[in-house]
Amino acid sequence: MAAEENVVESTDFPVKENNENGISSVIPGWFSEISPMWPGEAHSLKVEKILFEGKSEYQNVMVFQSSTYGKVLVLDGVIQLTERDECAYQEMITHLPLCSIPNPKKVLVIGGGDGGVLREVARHNSVEKIDICEIDKMVVDDEFSHDLLSLTGLGVAFLKAVPEGTYDAVIVDSSDPIGPAQELFEKPFFESIARALIPGGVVCTQAESIWLHMHIIEDIVANCRQIFKGSVNYAWTTVPTYPSGMIGFMLCSTEGPPVDFKHPVNPIDENDSQSSARPLKFYNSELHTAAFCLPSFAKKAIGSKAN
Amino acid sequence: MAAEENVVESTDFPVKENNENGISSVIPGWFSEISPMWPGEAHSLKVEKILFEGKSEYQNVMVFQSSTYGKVLVLDGVIQLTERDECAYQEMITHLPLCSIPNPKKVLVIGGGDGGVLREVARHNSVEKIDICEIDKMVVDDEFSHDLLSLTGLGVAFLKAVPEGTYDAVIVDSSDPIGPAQELFEKPFFESIARALIPGGVVCTQAESIWLHMHIIEDIVANCRQIFKGSVNYAWTTVPTYPSGMIGFMLCSTEGPPVDFKHPVNPIDENDSQSSARPLKFYNSELHTAAFCLPSFAKKAIGSKAN
C-alpha cells in the first residue's frame, strides 16, 4: 500500500514552455507564476481572456481577465495586482503611513503606475499635492490603469532633483528587487527619500514576505536603521495572489516630531473621504495596529532592529 | 503590440490528467492543488520524493518530500500541512483557545491526527488529560505522524457519548467541509461540543478563509451565535500553503465565567513549556490579540454576528 520508494521524476517547472508573460502552453488557458524569488512553488490563475500584452522599454506587461480574480496585471511574469484582492495591498501601503501623521499635505508615490495608491491617497482631505514617479509608461497606459494616470518619471533620478524636506510622505509601490525595481531596495535610494522628507516625515515601502525573503528584509531593516533616525517598523498584510499569501511594508520616519506608527493619529473615516467612488474595503484602525504584530520567528529575526 | 482580442483557449485545469492525489502528469514532478472549493486557482509545489501514498477507508492519503517546504501531508488532493509553515496553523489553533482560559485541564482534539495540535497542547503545564478523535487511522500512521499518535476515534460519535461538562477546551482540527469532515461544520456537531464543555469552556474550530469562503463563515457564525451563549469570535492567521494564504478560526465559549478571547489570561512562556523539543516559532501574545482584527469587508459580513 505504501509507496515509500516511489521516486517521482523531479524536473524543474517547465519555464521554457511558458511564454515570457507566464502563460502556460503546458496547461492551456492558465497563467502560472514562476520565479527564482520563490523556488519550488507556483500559483496559477485560470485565464478567460488576455486584454493587453506588450513589451515596454523595461519589462513585459500583460493584463488578463481571470476566471475568479477579475482583471490581473502581470509584469515580467509576476502578478502585481488583481481586482479581487488589490484593496488589501493598496489600502495598507497608503493608509499605514498617511494615517500615522497628523496632516499629510505633499505625498510622493514611486511606482504605483496602476493608479491604486493614487486612488487611496486621494481619500485624505488634507493632501494638497501628489507627485508620482512610474518608470514604465506602459504600466500607466495599459488596460488596467489607462484612465487613472498620465504622469510618469524615474523615481531614483526624480528624488535626487527634489529640494530637501519637500514631502510629508513617500510611498514606494515597487515590484520585486529583480528587474527595474532593484535600485528601490538599495541604500542610496533610502538616503534620497530621507533627504526629500520633512522632519517627522514618513516613508512606506513594499518589503517582501517574512515567509520567503527574511534575508532581504533583514538587509532593508539594517539599512533603514542607519538612515531613518525617527523610527523603523515592519508591518504586513494578507494578499492572496502574492507569493506566500502575504506582503510586508517598511515604515520609517525621519528625525523630528516623533511618529508612533502603531497608533494612528489620523484615522480615515470612509464617510468623510474625498474619494466617494468606492468605500474602503480592507483598511481600518484596528487592523492598522494589528499589522505591526509579527510571528515570533520574524520578531526574532528583525525585532531587535525594528518594531 | 497590444493583443486586445487574443482569446486564450480557456479549458478547465486538467484534473483528469492528475492522479487522485494531485500529482500532475502534465507538469512532471509537481503537485498541484485543485479543488471546487477554490475554482480558477491552483497552488503547486515541486515534489522531490513521494514518501507515502495510500487510500484509507475515508480518503486518499499522501506524504511527499517537497523541494522547498519540507514534508507535505495531502488528504484527497488538498495540502493539510507542510513542515515549513505548519507552526502557524498548529500554534494558533491551539494557543488561541488555551491561552484564553486560566487553567485548561481537560482538552479534546477532534481531527489533528498528524499530531501537531497535540504537540502544542502539551506545552501547557496545567493540562492533565488530552483526548483525541481522529477518524482516519491512516493519517495517524503515515510517515508524517506515525511516531506521534496511536489513539483514534470518530469525533461526532465520541462527543455524543461524553458526559456533559467534561472538557475545558475542544479543538477541532478538521479538513474542509467536503469529504469526511463535512459533519464538523454542521449545527448538531456544535451542539455536542457545547454540551461537552464546562461552563466558560472554549472551542476553537478551523473556519476557512475570509477571501474564499465568506458564505461558509457566515453560516458557521450564525450557528455558533445560537449555540454558544458566552462569546463568539473570528480570528485568522497567515499560512502560505493554504488557499488564499490564510485560514480562520471560530472561537466560542459557553455560558459561565466570561472569556475575553482578545486578551489572553494564560500567556504561554516558551521557556516554561513542558515540551522543550522545539520552541514556539509563531505564536505570541501580541499576535493573539492581533488575530481578531479583521479587514473591513470581513468585519461587515460577520462583525455584527461575532467579534
Side-chain angles (χ1 to χ4, degrees):
Chain A
M1 193 160 63
E4 290 176 14
E5 293 300 316
N6 179 1
V7 178
V8 171
E9 186 197 351
S10 181
T11 62
D12 284 335
F13 209 97
V15 180
K16 62 185 179 298
E17 300 189 58
N18 283 2
N19 75 13
E20 60 201 0
N21 278 320
I23 288 291
S24 175
S25 54
V26 180
I27 311 173
W30 285 67
F31 164 82
S32 289
E33 190 184 57
I34 296 148
S35 167
M37 287 281 290
W38 41 90
E41 65 182 309
H43 191 239
S44 303
L45 293 177
K46 190 159 179 263
V47 178
E48 293 298 333
K49 186 180 177 180
I50 294 178
L51 301 172
F52 179 90
E53 208 175 4
K55 195 172 168 60
S56 77
E57 193 181 344
Y58 300 99
Q59 56 203 339
N60 295 298
V61 180
M62 179 173 66
V63 179
F64 68 85
Q65 185 70 44
S66 68
S67 164
T68 53
Y69 277 81
K71 287 184 196 168
V72 181
L73 171 64
V74 178
L75 299 179
D76 278 347
V78 176
I79 294 171
Q80 302 299 308
L81 51 88
T82 83
E83 283 185 313
R84 183 158 156 200
D85 66 0
E86 57 91 20
C87 61
Y89 177 78
Q90 316 278 21
E91 293 184 17
M92 293 299 269
I93 199 172
T94 305
H95 304 306
L96 287 177
L98 295 190
C99 294
S100 296
I101 51 176
N103 197 28
K105 286 181 186 162
K106 291 187 184 172
V107 179
L108 171 64
V109 180
I110 294 172
D114 55 75
V117 171
L118 282 191
R119 179 194 68 211
E120 295 305 321
V121 174
R123 292 188 198 273
H124 288 263
N125 295 323
S126 64
V127 170
E128 295 164 1
K129 190 184 184 204
I130 314 174
D131 288 333
I132 179 158
C133 289
E134 165 61 59
I135 197 172
D136 196 336
K137 193 172 179 311
M138 189 177 285
V139 173
V140 177
D141 289 341
D142 74 32
E143 289 288 311
F144 207 108
S145 43
H146 68 280
D147 54 346
L148 291 166
L149 282 175
S150 62
L151 179 64
T152 66
L154 179 59
V156 175
F158 182 89
L159 268 177
K160 281 182 186 153
V162 157
E164 207 175 319
T166 299
Y167 294 105
D168 299 281
V170 176
I171 297 169
V172 187
D173 174 16
S174 72
S175 47
D176 295 314
I178 292 180
Q182 193 182 332
E183 277 189 286
L184 308 187
F185 288 79
E186 291 168 1
K187 205 167 166 182
F189 177 68
F190 290 116
E191 285 166 342
S192 305
I193 291 176
R195 223 190 103 267
L197 284 170
I198 62 165
V202 293
V203 58
C204 179
T205 77
Q206 188 271 93
E208 303 296 334
S209 162
I210 55 170
W211 286 106
L212 297 172
H213 301 120
M214 194 59 91
H215 56 292
I216 298 177
I217 295 167
E218 287 180 78
D219 287 350
I220 299 175
V221 171
N223 284 339
C224 288
R225 214 57 184 136
Q226 285 178 34
I227 294 163
F228 294 97
K229 300 299 182 189
S231 65
V232 173
N233 298 267
Y234 191 84
W236 63 279
T237 186
T238 157
V239 183
T241 58
Y242 286 169
S244 84
M246 63 130 70
I247 194 120
F249 307 104
M250 282 305 306
L251 285 136
C252 308
S253 63
T254 53
E255 205 166 6
V259 178
D260 179 0
F261 283 104
K262 293 169 198 172
H263 299 98
V265 294
N266 180 29
I268 186 164
D269 179 348
E270 62 189 69
N271 302 322
D272 180 52
S273 164
Q274 283 179 350
S275 166
S276 57
R278 133 166 134 53
L280 287 169
K281 285 185 191 170
F282 194 88
Y283 176 90
N284 57 61
S285 296
E286 288 156 42
L287 202 64
H288 179 125
T289 298
F292 292 88
C293 297
L294 304 179
S296 297
F297 75 87
K299 215 171 155 180
K300 269 178 202 152
I302 64 179
S304 59
K305 297 173 197 145
N307 290 39
Chain B
M1 191 161 63
E4 289 175 14
E5 292 303 313
N6 181 2
V7 178
V8 171
E9 188 198 352
S10 181
T11 62
D12 284 335
F13 210 96
V15 180
K16 61 186 180 296
E17 300 189 58
N18 284 0
N19 75 13
E20 60 201 1
N21 278 321
I23 289 290
S24 174
S25 55
V26 180
I27 311 174
W30 286 67
F31 164 82
S32 289
E33 190 185 57
I34 297 149
S35 167
M37 287 280 290
W38 41 91
E41 65 182 310
H43 191 239
S44 302
L45 292 177
K46 190 160 179 261
V47 178
E48 293 298 333
K49 187 181 179 180
I50 293 178
L51 302 171
F52 179 90
E53 208 175 2
K55 195 172 166 59
S56 78
E57 194 181 342
Y58 301 98
Q59 54 204 340
N60 295 299
V61 180
M62 179 173 67
V63 179
F64 68 86
Q65 184 71 42
S66 68
S67 165
T68 52
Y69 277 81
K71 287 183 197 169
V72 181
L73 171 64
V74 178
L75 300 179
D76 278 347
V78 177
I79 294 172
Q80 303 298 308
L81 52 87
T82 83
E83 283 185 311
R84 183 156 155 202
D85 66 1
E86 57 91 20
C87 61
Y89 178 77
Q90 316 278 20
E91 292 184 17
M92 293 298 270
I93 199 173
T94 305
H95 304 306
L96 286 177
L98 296 190
C99 294
S100 297
I101 51 176
N103 196 28
K105 286 180 184 161
K106 290 186 184 173
V107 179
L108 171 64
V109 180
I110 294 172
D114 56 75
V117 171
L118 282 190
R119 180 194 65 210
E120 296 305 319
V121 174
R123 292 187 198 274
H124 288 264
N125 295 322
S126 64
V127 170
E128 294 164 1
K129 190 181 184 207
I130 313 175
D131 289 333
I132 179 159
C133 289
E134 164 62 59
I135 197 173
D136 196 338
K137 192 171 181 309
M138 189 177 283
V139 173
V140 177
D141 288 342
D142 73 35
E143 290 287 312
F144 207 108
S145 44
H146 68 279
D147 54 346
L148 291 167
L149 285 173
S150 61
L151 179 63
T152 67
L154 179 58
V156 176
F158 182 89
L159 268 177
K160 281 182 186 152
V162 157
E164 206 175 318
T166 298
Y167 295 105
D168 301 279
V170 175
I171 297 170
V172 186
D173 174 16
S174 72
S175 46
D176 295 313
I178 292 180
Q182 194 183 332
E183 277 188 286
L184 309 186
F185 288 79
E186 292 168 0
K187 205 167 164 180
F189 177 67
F190 289 116
E191 286 166 342
S192 304
I193 290 176
R195 222 190 104 266
L197 285 170
I198 63 166
V202 293
V203 59
C204 180
T205 77
Q206 190 271 92
E208 302 298 333
S209 162
I210 54 169
W211 287 107
L212 297 172
H213 301 119
M214 193 59 90
H215 56 293
I216 298 178
I217 295 167
E218 287 180 76
D219 286 351
I220 299 175
V221 170
N223 284 339
C224 287
R225 214 60 186 133
Q226 285 179 34
I227 295 163
F228 294 98
K229 301 296 183 191
S231 66
V232 173
N233 299 267
Y234 191 84
W236 63 279
T237 185
T238 159
V239 183
T241 58
Y242 285 169
S244 83
M246 61 129 72
I247 193 121
F249 307 104
M250 281 305 306
L251 285 136
C252 308
S253 64
T254 54
E255 204 166 7
V259 178
D260 179 0
F261 283 105
K262 293 169 198 173
H263 299 99
V265 294
N266 180 28
I268 185 162
D269 178 350
E270 62 189 67
N271 301 321
D272 180 52
S273 163
Q274 282 180 351
S275 165
S276 57
R278 139 168 130 51
L280 287 170
K281 284 184 191 170
F282 195 89
Y283 176 90
N284 56 61
S285 296
E286 288 157 43
L287 202 64
H288 179 125
T289 299
F292 292 88
C293 298
L294 303 180
S296 298
F297 75 88
K299 215 172 155 181
K300 270 178 201 152
I302 64 180
S304 59
K305 298 172 197 147
N307 288 41

